[in-house]
Amino acid sequence: LFIPIIFPFFFSYPDAKEGALVSEIMKKCFSPTLITNVTWEGFYFAGSEIRITEATGSFGAVVWPSAIVLCHFLETNREEYNLSDKNVIEIGAGTGLISIVASILVTGAHVIATDLPDILGNLSYNVLRNTKMRCKHQPQVKELTWGVDLEKNFPQSDCEFHYIMAADVVYSHPYLEELLITFDHLCKEDTVIFWAMRFRLDKENRFVDRFQSLFDLEVIYNLPSIQIKLYKAMRKGRMKT
Ligand SMILES: C[S@@+](CC[C@H](N)C(=O)[O-])C[C@H]1O[C@@H](n2cnc3c(N)ncnc32)[C@H](O)[C@@H]1O
């Protein structure tokens, strides 16, 4: 976690307002004070200490800064975007921090945390450890490989998601078209997408252009010092101004 959080600060210096917001967001993390053989990162959200066990060897094995940004937004805007009893799906959930926060905030949402099959073991462990007896609706963990068997596993007639959440799902991987197809499949007329995006390469800008062919976008946080933007998106013409 140290590298993804600290490294971006070398890219540019934030102005005072952005700097204050970034340091408030990053204050949400802490590391264990005791050295043990268990590696976990700690986060404070929704009045709770959340312990995330990280793994090695895959993108889904650590908490990425975009996830912390999105959790901070959910916590500080819980009245405007009240998740209580709402249906939420997270795609590319990784270690599960966003799904956990969405589940334990206020009275909690019905959350489905999804990722590739190899990621689900650690994801389930974190979700269960941090939500058991802490939330109204126990979150589910399910496989969702972008673009694969979407109608079979998430039939459009049954799935009515109020919110789709995603953090740092756009980077140098070959499944960007499948990712877009997945957003399109899961998003109904009134679904709100919260998408935190770390910009590294031009490819990411091109994905934003492709995304805007289907959805209207609003920038909620712009944090150039850590190269992250948080977007709210809805189907074209559905965003209230
Ligand atoms: C950079 S990580 C971000 C993880 C988490 N959202 C966070 O911000 O901490 C990208 C995530 O996307 C998932 N992912 C990558 N390719 C995928 C695919 N084709 N289908 C489903 N998930 C995928 C990875 O397994 C990983 O969990």
Side-chain angles (χ1 to χ4, degrees), residues 48 85 99-111 127-128 130-140:
S48 296
D85 297 328
S99 290
I100 293 164
V101 171
S103 300
I104 64 176
L105 265 178
V106 206
T107 52
H110 295 273
V111 178
V127 167
L128 190 63
N130 289 290
T131 58
K132 201 171 172 197
M133 314 287 279
R134 280 197 195 171
C135 61
K136 186 170 167 194
H137 311 290
Q138 190 57 44
Q140 295 176 53

Side-chain angles (χ1 to χ4, degrees), residues 160-179:
E160 196 70 51
F161 295 112
H162 299 99
Y163 294 98
I164 301 170
M165 304 202 183
D168 217 344
V169 289
V170 178
Y171 50 96
S172 181
H173 63 68
Y175 303 107
L176 292 176
E177 197 54 38
E178 288 79 358
L179 176 63

Side-chain angles (χ1 to χ4, degrees), residues 2-18:
F2 181 79
I3 290 172
I5 287 182
I6 303 301
F7 187 68
F9 284 99
F10 292 100
F11 281 80
S12 71
Y13 288 100
D15 64 25
K17 197 170 158 216
E18 188 208 337

Side-chain angles (χ1 to χ4, degrees), residues 83-157:
L83 300 183
S84 183
D85 297 328
K86 297 290 193 300
N87 299 328
V88 175
I89 186 164
E90 183 184 3
I91 59 172
T95 56
L97 182 64
I98 294 167
S99 290
I100 293 164
V101 171
S103 300
I104 64 176
L105 265 178
V106 206
T107 52
H110 295 273
V111 178
I112 307 180
T114 71
D115 210 303
L116 293 168
D118 286 356
I119 306 295
L120 301 186
N122 194 48
L123 174 60
S124 302
Y125 174 78
N126 281 318
V127 167
L128 190 63
R129 168 192 192 161
N130 289 290
T131 58
K132 201 171 172 197
M133 314 287 279
R134 280 197 195 171
C135 61
K136 186 170 167 194
H137 311 290
Q138 190 57 44
Q140 295 176 53
V141 173
K142 280 181 80 167
E143 176 186 345
L144 192 166
T145 302
W146 301 330
V148 176
D149 288 338
L150 292 173
E151 187 52 29
K152 181 172 153 221
N153 298 330
F154 298 90
Q156 283 183 317
S157 54

